Each structure stands twice: as C-alpha cells, then as structure tokens.
Amino acid sequence: MSVKILMVCLGNICRSPLAEGILASKLPKDLFTVDSAGTGNYHVGSPPDKRSIHTANQHGLDISLQRARQFSRKDFEKFDYIFVMDGSNYDNVIELAKTEEERKKVDLILNQLFPNENVDVPDPYFGLQNGFEDVYQMLDEACEILAKKLIEKHS
Ligand code: 4NP
C-alpha cells in the first residue's frame, strides 16, 4: 500500500503542480503517490500555468501532463498527508474537515522548512516569471526535508 501525499493551492495551476512534481521526483514511485488539487474550481481540467511548466522544465521536471482538479472531502480519505501552500488554502481545507484525524493530516508545506512559523508560499499568478523560480526554490527545499522524513518513516 503506497503512502499518499496531496499538495493543495487555490487554482491547482501554479504552486501545487510544482510541489507535486518536485516531491514526486524525490520519492520512490513504488512506495509513494503524490497528487495535487486546488480549493477553487476556476481552472479545473487545465494544464499547469505555462510559467510553472517552464520553471519545472528548467529543473529537469515535466509537469505538463498534470490537469487541475478541485479538492474534495473524499481527499481526506484518500490521502495520508495534505500539504497546503498558504493560510487561505489551510482555512479552506480545514473548513471541510469533519474529524480531528482529518484535521491532523493538514499542514502548511513551508512548516517543513520553518517549523511552526506558518509561512506562506506566495501566489505567483499575478506576478512575473521570476516569482515562479522563487516558488520553485522554496518548494524544493521544503520537499527535500519532507521526502527524507517520509522515506525514513515509511520504508
Ligand atoms: P495557484 O495560483 O493557486 O498557485 O494555482 C493561482 C492560479 C489562479 C488564480 C489564483 C491563484 N486565479 O485567481 O485564477
């Protein structure tokens, strides 16, 4: 049985597709499944933003085949860990949780890097290309720590 990790942002086209691609690249595929979703439904069915695809490409990752989907209550059952990009995503996901067990699955991804500081991954959507590289770097550092912990705990 594989351990399932979900990355969540608002649109599922900028930050969480990068987070999915980065974490998946650091984990053995036979033991872990990584997916992503958005709390909003604006971009359902769309590929990641071109700027996220480009940034991922520059680091040797292909995220172009991902398609956006909306986070749903079922994800609390399907996934063992749910990492959100910012405080607003956190509030939106926690609002849908019904049990303490579900709430405990949810954390901000940058708490891996800055424990208990609740730092947001900034939304790069309305910014420029270099904002996407900044997001990539933060997520890469956080996912490096997370991947080590997950491998230690589950394999
Ligand atoms: P994401 O970025 O949450 O990182 O995918 C956004 C994408 C789209 C919008 C907002 C944020 N939007 O308002 O359409």
Side-chain angles (χ1 to χ4, degrees):
M1 258 266 299
S2 93
V3 178
K4 298 185 178 62
I5 304 113
L6 183 66
M7 298 295 193
V8 177
C9 63
L10 174 59
N12 193 207
I13 55 166
C14 296
R15 293 165 291 176
S16 59
L18 276 173
E20 176 188 333
I22 292 167
L23 185 65
S25 75
K26 296 178 190 290
L27 292 172
K29 283 184 185 28
D30 53 333
L31 295 178
F32 298 93
T33 303
V34 187
D35 190 13
S36 64
T39 57
N41 65 359
Y42 330 101
H43 299 281
V44 168
S46 298
D49 187 286
K50 284 193 174 69
R51 296 164 294 176
S52 282
I53 293 177
H54 175 73
T55 301
N57 269 337
Q58 288 198 313
H59 295 276
L61 298 177
D62 181 4
I63 62 168
S64 66
L65 297 179
Q66 294 183 31
R67 293 296 177 264
R69 71 171 181 88
Q70 188 171 24
F71 179 84
S72 87
R73 264 208 47 75
K74 285 203 182 108
D75 290 317
F76 287 115
E77 287 164 36
K78 281 193 214 150
F79 291 89
D80 303 296
Y81 299 92
I82 298 170
F83 290 101
V84 294
M85 300 297 124
D86 66 30
S88 155
N89 309 148
Y90 184 85
D91 292 344
N92 289 327
V93 168
I94 286 291
E95 215 166 74
L96 296 174
K98 287 198 175 142
T99 65
E100 192 52 29
E101 193 193 343
E102 289 178 354
R103 279 187 280 275
K104 276 200 294 206
K105 293 184 177 184
V106 188
D107 197 8
L108 285 156
I109 184 66
L110 290 188
N111 278 344
Q112 297 299 313
L113 196 52
F114 311 112
N116 304 313
E117 289 190 31
N118 297 337
V119 177
D120 289 344
V121 178
D123 185 347
Y125 186 64
F126 295 105
L128 302 172
Q129 179 74 49
N130 61 2
F132 286 73
E133 177 61 24
D134 293 344
V135 164
Y136 181 93
Q137 292 301 335
M138 293 173 210
L139 289 174
D140 190 52
E141 283 188 53
C143 288
E144 187 67 28
I145 295 167
L146 175 58
K148 284 198 176 115
K149 278 199 231 169
L150 288 170
I151 289 167
E152 198 170 312
K153 185 160 181 200
H154 297 283
S155 58

